[in-house]
Amino acid sequence: MSLQIGIVGLPNVGKSTLFQALTKKKVDTSNYPFATIDPNVGVVAVPDERLAQLARVAKSKEIIPTTIEFVDIAGLVKNAHQGEGLGNQFLQNIRETDAIVEVVRAFDDPNVIHVAGKVEPKEDVETINLELIFADLAIVSKRHENVSRQLKSGTNPQVEQQLGALTKLKEALEAGRPARSVELTDDEHAQVKDLNLLTAKPVLYVINCSEGGLSSPPELTLNGPVILLSVKIESELSELSREDAATFMADLGLKESGLDRLIKAAYKTLDLITFFTAGPKETRAWTVKRGTKAPPAAGVIHTDFEKGFIRAEIINWKEFVDAEGDVKAKELGKVRIEGRDYVVQDGDVVHFHFQ
């Protein structure tokens, strides 16, 4: 399943450099606003230490990790919702993503200009959040007006329900609160889903510090997961071999790169889980939303698997590894047979049977 994370922030906060480190894909990171005009998309492997262990036991020829797409979106500025900078174009790019990574600058560098002339992380966060809220408010207000007009010509339960949802959203946005803070019923959510509101998307914050700032981050109260890292260090790490990068991280006292932490956090923010298939040909990670049942999970591998689903053989990845494969695992009674109502769990090793 293809899911996209949009990397946003003010100009010159480190977005494109972070994207470059994430994907090792060269993009224009020149020191001026709007260096990135069109969104750049990079496919990133999700780090998962379980894959190598499964592949060893299954004697797989190939390991295929699951992936997430990151989209580098040009810098927003104050009043972007009114067309400042390249405003509406960038907001539309964000609207098409599944979640948002907001990069917040917390480093001083006289050689890298700040669009506001000073480094104030709290103000930067407020600027971005308000721009997204204003953009959503314009869309919600327009729909609210149209739906209200429809009701004047007669009652309609679905239209009334939509108006109720729109009213809740409008009141929240006018109060400066994001759409994701509004509690909607499943039916109400269905009535406004097509609006694809920016502030309804899950948000993950990246605080971009200097090396020294990693031990003394700025005090910020943020409504979402926070990853503290130095984009400069991560960029340097991305250019090193695996061995040299490990040595560099050890010297810095880091057990895991900030990029790996970011990718894992982004994956979690989307409420995704990973299940595996393992055999001599390949060990592969597959992505589904949490709560997915066995037949649609099988459909992620191939549509025929879902259509002809009969049953699934399930074993936890750790039990598979401990038993040194499915033969011994079956002897130990660790392999379960599950039907159509089984909800796939993170870490399941699955063999689907279909007709």
Side-chain angles (χ1 to χ4, degrees):
M1 58 192 303
S2 178
L3 293 165
Q4 289 191 334
I5 307 281
I7 303 176
V8 304
L10 295 175
N12 294 340
V13 298
K15 299 183 318 307
S16 293
T17 305
L18 175 63
F19 175 83
Q20 182 175 310
L22 276 167
T23 63
K24 297 185 179 179
K25 177 179 178 180
K26 301 299 181 183
V27 294
D28 188 353
T29 56
S30 301
N31 179 29
Y32 58 89
F34 317 120
T36 312
I37 302 303
D38 295 317
N40 296 275
V41 180
V43 179
V44 177
V46 177
D48 196 324
E49 61 279 359
R50 298 173 294 186
L51 279 166
Q53 298 181 59
L54 288 168
R56 177 188 61 78
V57 171
K59 297 179 174 57
S60 304
K61 294 179 180 178
E62 188 176 7
I63 294 177
I64 303 177
T66 191
T67 61
I68 294 182
E69 290 185 6
F70 280 88
V71 185
D72 179 31
I73 297 170
L76 287 167
V77 294
K78 190 174 182 179
N79 296 322
H81 69 285
Q82 297 177 344
E84 290 292 326
L86 296 178
N88 291 330
Q89 175 186 335
F90 296 163
L91 290 170
Q92 185 56 39
N93 291 336
I94 303 170
R95 203 173 293 284
E96 294 169 357
T97 63
D98 298 287
I100 294 170
V101 167
E102 184 173 329
V103 182
V104 182
R105 178 172 172 173
F107 67 89
D108 288 305
D109 187 339
N111 297 315
V112 181
I113 62 171
H114 189 289
V115 71
K118 59 180 179 178
V119 176
E120 291 288 351
K122 184 178 179 180
E123 292 182 13
D124 290 357
V125 170
E126 290 175 352
T127 295
I128 295 295
N129 290 349
L130 283 175
E131 288 307 314
L132 301 185
I133 285 173
F134 284 139
D136 279 352
L137 182 57
I139 287 177
V140 169
S141 296
K142 185 176 180 180
R143 175 69 67 85
H144 189 278
E145 183 180 340
N146 291 339
V147 172
S148 297
R149 193 179 299 117
Q150 288 180 43
L151 282 177
K152 289 180 180 179
S153 61
T155 60
N156 181 309
Q158 285 192 329
V159 175
E160 289 176 351
Q161 190 176 63
Q162 185 177 176
L163 182 63
L166 289 166
T167 300
K168 291 179 184 178
L169 290 168
K170 187 170 181 286
E171 290 175 351
L173 293 166
E174 287 176 338
R177 293 187 288 113
R180 60 183 167 274
S181 69
V182 179
E183 291 188 11
L184 299 175
T185 66
D186 290 343
D187 289 340
E188 286 176 330
H189 183 265
Q191 291 290 340
V192 295
K193 185 179 179 180
D194 65 311
L195 294 176
N196 204 16
L197 297 177
L198 299 169
T199 62
K201 299 179 187 299
V203 177
L204 169 66
Y205 294 92
V206 169
I207 309 300
N208 183 13
C209 296
S210 62
E211 181 180 336
L214 292 173
S215 57
S216 56
E219 294 184 6
L220 291 170
T221 301
L222 301 171
N223 294 318
V226 177
I227 299 293
L228 181 71
L229 55 76
S230 166
V231 171
K232 183 174 183 292
I233 290 175
E234 299 301 327
S235 180
E236 292 172 0
L237 281 170
S238 71
E239 299 298 327
L240 299 176
S241 66
R242 180 175 297 183
E243 293 75 16
D244 289 344
T247 300
F248 188 16
M249 284 194 295
D251 290 343
L252 294 171
L254 301 175
K255 295 181 179 179
E256 187 177 27
S257 76
L259 295 186
D260 282 354
R261 287 187 289 115
L262 169 58
I263 295 167
K264 290 178 180 178
Y267 193 76
K268 186 177 180 180
T269 296
L270 287 169
D271 202 22
L272 303 174
I273 65 165
T274 300
F275 72 90
F276 305 98
T277 52
K281 180 182 177 182
E282 65 181 32
T283 288
R284 183 162 183 166
W286 303 90
T287 298
V288 292
K289 282 280 188 181
R290 188 178 304 279
T292 299
K293 291 186 177 181
V300 172
I301 299 175
H302 197 287
T303 54
D304 288 347
F305 285 20
E306 180 174 6
K307 293 175 182 176
F309 178 88
I310 300 174
R311 63 184 182 276
E313 293 183 15
I314 308 287
I315 180 173
N316 175 268
W317 77 274
K318 186 68 167 58
E319 292 178 334
F320 180 90
V321 171
D322 289 346
E324 290 293 323
D326 55 2
V327 174
K328 184 66 174 178
K330 287 178 179 178
E331 292 176 3
L332 294 171
K334 299 296 184 180
V335 179
R336 310 186 312 277
I337 303 299
E338 301 287 356
R340 304 184 67 85
D341 290 332
Y342 177 72
V343 176
V344 175
Q345 302 297 307
D346 185 71
D348 279 348
V349 179
V350 187
H351 177 66
F352 292 108
H353 292 264
F354 66 101
Q355 58 187 5

